[in-house]
Amino acid sequence: MRFLKVYFYNIKSIKIYLFTNLLVGVIFATTLAVLGHIYTGYKQIKPHLDAQIVVMAYTISTFITEDFDNEKILNKLHENTAQYVSDMHHLQYDDDASKADLHASLDSIQFRVFDKRGTLVAQSPSAPEINPYHIPKNGFFRMQYQHSLWRVFNLNTQRGDHVIVMQPHATRLSIEKNSNNTAVIISLLTIPPLGLFIFLVIGRSLRSVHQTTNEIKQRARNNLNPINPSNIPIEIAPLINELNSLFTRLRTNFDRESRFAGDAAHELKTPLAAIQAHAQVACEHETIDQVKAELVKVNKSVQRATHTVDQLLMLSRTMPDIYSNDHVEVNLPTLVRQVIAEFIPISLKQNINISFEEEQHTHPAMILGHETTLNILLSNLVDNAIRYSPCNTEIILQLKSDKHHYHLHVIDQGIGIPETLRERVFERFYRVIGNNTQGTGLGLNIVQQIAQLHKASIQVRQPNTLKGTEFIVSFPILRQA
C-alpha cells in the first residue's frame, strides 16, 4: 500500500502514466485472452480430431462384408488403400495455400482392419503394427510405437472384426499449435496499433489541460479574472473552479490592500499636517508658555495619528477569512468581564459606570469564535460607548438569549444616532456630522467585519429609555453535546 502511494505521488507526466498503464493493461488482457484461447482451443480441437477418427472407423466398418474372404477383393482393397494417398496429390483443391496441410492431415490418419480370426485384411500405407488381441475391446487409448505416441480408436463390429484407426499424437499437437500460433500472432499484431490509438486519444484528451496552462502562462501578472470554464472536461473542472476561487480571493485581497493603503494615506495626512503646522508655529514663538501650548497641540495630533494607525492595523488584522480556521469555544460572559475590567480606569476619569447584566443559564454561554478578534469587537463597542457618553452617566452591557442566539446589548446614554444614519455608521471613516468627539470612523466597521467573521449579526437602535444608543450583537449558540 505504501508503495502504491509513493508511486501515485511521484507521477511526473499524466500522459506517460496513462499510456504506460493502459498499454500494460492491454498486454495483460491480451495475454489472458491468448492463454484462454489456447486452453479452449485444446479442449475444442481434441474432440474434433477424435470425431474424425470415429467417423473414419465407422465408415470403414460399413464396407466390411462376408466377401472379405474373397482373395481378389482383399487384394484390390490393399491396392486401393495404398494408392489413395498418391492420388490425392493430383486432385484439385480450392485452397492452394492449405494443400500441404491437407496432405499432411491425410497422411496422419492410419488404420488397420482385422477379421474375426485376427487376420489383417486391410491397412493404410504407414499404419503401425498392432495386435488386435492386445488392445481394449472398444474405445480410445494411447500406445507407443517406434518412440512415437499414437492416439488409437478400436471398433469391434458385430461380426467380430476389428477396425483400428490411429493418429500420431505429435500431429494432433501440431494442429493445435498452428491454430494457437496464428491466434497469438494476430493478438500481438494488434498491440502496436492499439498502443498508438491509446497514445493519440490520451494526447487529445489532455489538450484542454495544455490550453488552460497556456492561457494562464500568457496572462498578465495583474490579471486575476476567472478562467473560462467552457470546453473543459469535468475531471479538471474542480481544479479550474478552485483556481477561479483563488483568483477571486487574491483580487479581493489586492483590492483590500490597495484600499487600506489609500485609507491609511488619507487618514494620516490630516494629523501629520497638523503636527507639522503646530511644530512650525512653536518654532516662531519666543516664550516658553507659547511653545508649550503648541506642543500640547502637537501631542494631541500625535495621539490622534497613533489611534488612527492602531485602528488601521486592527482593521487589517480583522480581514475576513484570516482567523476562520482558528475558531475555538469562547466563554462569552468571561470575555465581557475582561473587556470591562480593561476600561474601568478610563471610565472612572469621566465618572461613567459600566455594569454587566447576565441571565442565569444551566450551561455557560459558549460561542465558537476567535478570542482575540472578539476582544477587539467588545473593546470597540465599549470604547465607542465611553467616547460618546457624557460624564456622570452609565453604560450597561446585557447578555440575553433565545433558542438559537446569544444577544449582547451595549447601551449608552449619549446623544444617540439618527435612525436614517444607523446603517451608515458601519461604513469606513464615516462619522456623524455635528459630533465633536475625536475618532477615525473605523471602529464600527471593524466591529461589523468581526461579527461577519463569526456569522453574527449586529443592529443599532434607540434604547427603551429613549436616550442614547443600543448596539445588539447576536452570536449563534454553540450546542452542548
Side-chain angles (χ1 to χ4, degrees), residues 106-294:
L106 290 172
D107 291 339
S108 68
I109 299 179
Q110 305 295 327
F111 67 90
R112 303 191 88 183
V113 180
F114 298 89
D115 61 15
K116 57 186 177 181
R117 295 185 297 274
T119 304
L120 178 66
V121 297
Q123 67 174 355
S124 56
S126 302
E129 294 182 2
I130 188 171
N131 189 339
Y133 298 106
H134 293 167
I135 59 176
K137 291 184 178 180
N138 275 305
F140 287 94
F141 64 96
R142 293 182 181 183
M143 75 171 192
Q144 195 79 18
Y145 177 74
Q146 294 182 352
H147 308 291
S148 297
L149 186 64
W150 289 74
R151 179 74 165 171
V152 181
F153 177 71
N154 179 35
L155 175 63
N156 293 336
T157 66
Q158 293 180 354
R159 295 177 60 251
D161 301 314
H162 298 275
V163 180
I164 303 172
V165 183
M166 298 157 283
Q167 187 177 38
H169 189 68
T171 301
R172 297 166 64 90
L173 291 179
S174 177
I175 295 173
E176 297 172 6
K177 181 179 179 182
N178 291 336
S179 175
N180 292 330
N181 287 345
T182 302
V184 170
I185 292 173
I186 293 175
S187 299
L188 293 178
L189 289 177
T190 59
I191 292 178
L194 184 58
L196 178 61
F197 176 75
I198 292 174
F199 185 80
L200 294 176
V201 169
I202 293 174
R204 184 174 181 82
S205 64
L206 294 177
R207 186 178 300 173
S208 58
V209 177
H210 296 309
Q211 292 176 349
T212 304
T213 302
N214 292 332
E215 179 184 345
I216 297 174
K217 186 187 300 183
Q218 295 172 2
R219 282 184 165 215
R221 287 181 293 178
N222 58 347
N223 184 4
L224 295 176
N225 294 323
I227 301 171
N228 185 6
S230 61
N231 299 325
I232 291 179
I234 58 176
E235 287 78 10
I236 65 171
L239 174 62
I240 300 303
N241 292 336
E242 289 300 321
L243 280 176
N244 288 338
S245 177
L246 175 62
F247 288 155
T248 301
R249 293 196 299 269
L250 287 175
R251 185 172 64 250
T252 301
N253 288 336
F254 287 157
D255 293 342
R256 187 181 294 116
E257 294 296 333
S258 178
R259 187 169 63 250
F260 173 77
D263 294 343
H266 176 269
E267 287 302 308
L268 291 176
K269 183 177 180 180
T270 300
L272 290 177
I275 291 172
Q276 184 180 16
H278 292 314
Q280 290 176 349
V281 172
C283 292
E284 295 174 359
H285 287 307
E286 298 178 354
T287 63
I288 297 298
D289 292 338
Q290 291 175 328
V291 172
K292 286 183 177 180
E294 294 300 327

Side-chain angles (χ1 to χ4, degrees), residues 424-442:
R424 296 201 61 190
V425 295
F426 295 104
E427 297 177 6
R428 285 189 179 188
F429 306 112
Y430 181 82
R431 302 183 71 238
V432 178
I433 298 175
N435 195 330
N436 296 324
T437 304
Q438 293 184 354
T440 62
L442 290 173

